[in-house]
Amino acid sequence: MEPVTLTTDRLLLRPVGPGDTDAVYEAVQDPDIQRWTTVPSPYLPEHAISFTEQLVPEGWSQGSMFTFGVFAGGELVAMLALTMRSLGTAEVGFWTAKEHRGRGYVVEATLTACRWIFTEVGVDRVEWRAEVGNHASRAVAERAGFTVEGTLRSGINNKGVRRDCWVGSLLPSDLSLPSTAPYLPARA
C-alpha cells in the first residue's frame, strides 16, 4: 500500500522517515515510553534508524503495519501504528512524547487513523491492548471510544516477560461507519 497522510484541524499524521530519526530517538528516551511499550530498552540511535528507515516503510509496502508520526506545529508529538493482526482486524499502538501529554493529541490521532482504516482498508475491528497498570494508555483508549472487554492473562510479551493486559475494541459502528461484513452481536 502507498503511504498516506491524514490531517485534523490540529494534527498532521504521516509516515516517518529518515528525516525524523533524531526526533524519534529523543522522544523514546523517556523512561515511561520504554517501560510501557515494546520498544527496545535502552533505546539506541540504531533502533531509531531501523524504525524510520526499515520498519515503517516495510510495514506500509507490505500492508502489514501502518505507522504514523503525529505532528503538531511541525513537531513530532506522538507515534501511532495500526498493525494488521488477522483478516479485518488491526491493533492500535501509540506513545506520546512526554512534553506533549495531556493535550488529547493521541485520542484525536487514534480516531482519525481508525476512521481511515475502517473506510479505506476495510478493517472491521481495531483492538487496543496495554499492560495492566498502564492507566494513561487505557484513558486514551476509553476517550477514543474503545470498549474495554477485559483482561488477558499473559496476553502480551514485553521485553521477554509475559504480562497480563487489558484488551478493548473499536468497531466501525462506534464511529457511525458501516462495516464491510455483517455483525451479529451476542444477546445478553
Side-chain angles (χ1 to χ4, degrees):
M1 173 176 280
E2 285 297 315
V4 300
T5 297
L6 306 172
T7 59
T8 72
D9 289 342
R10 301 190 304 162
L11 303 174
L12 173 72
L13 283 71
R14 65 163 174 80
V16 291
D20 303 303
T21 302
D22 291 342
V24 169
Y25 173 76
E26 289 300 321
V28 181
Q29 295 311 299
D30 175 22
D32 286 335
I33 292 174
Q34 292 186 32
R35 163 62 182 94
W36 293 110
T37 71
T38 58
V39 300
S41 181
Y43 194 80
L44 305 174
E46 52 263 33
H47 295 128
I49 292 167
S50 175
F51 179 73
T52 59
E53 294 184 18
Q54 290 178 296
L55 188 66
V56 171
E58 287 174 5
W60 279 96
S61 68
Q62 297 168 5
S64 59
M65 183 170 63
F66 310 110
T67 303
F68 296 95
V70 180
F71 295 85
E75 187 175 358
L76 178 69
V77 299
M79 193 66 60
L80 182 143
L82 290 159
T83 304
M84 298 304 297
R85 293 295 182 210
S86 62
L87 185 62
T89 302
E91 181 179 336
V92 67
F94 45 75
W95 55 254
T96 308
K98 185 175 187 171
E99 62 274 14
H100 296 288
R101 292 182 185 142
R103 299 179 188 173
Y105 290 147
V106 177
V107 171
E108 190 174 327
T110 298
L111 286 167
T112 301
C114 286
R115 281 188 188 95
W116 169 79
I117 206 163
F118 288 146
T119 59
E120 301 300 321
V121 182
V123 164
D124 283 323
R125 175 182 168 89
V126 174
E127 294 181 349
W128 158 85
R129 294 171 192 240
E131 182 180 334
V132 171
N134 188 346
H135 295 284
S137 181
R138 184 172 176 151
V140 167
E142 289 177 336
R143 287 185 188 116
F146 282 72
T147 298
V148 177
E149 298 171 333
T151 301
L152 301 177
R153 297 183 312 144
S154 187
I156 59 172
N157 182 323
N158 190 350
K159 298 168 191 67
V161 178
R162 301 294 312 181
R163 300 171 188 268
D164 294 348
C165 72
W166 292 314
V167 64
S169 68
L170 187 71
L171 306 178
S173 58
D174 297 330
L175 302 179
S176 300
L177 297 170
S179 295
T180 62
Y183 167 48
L184 183 60
R187 294 189 174 198

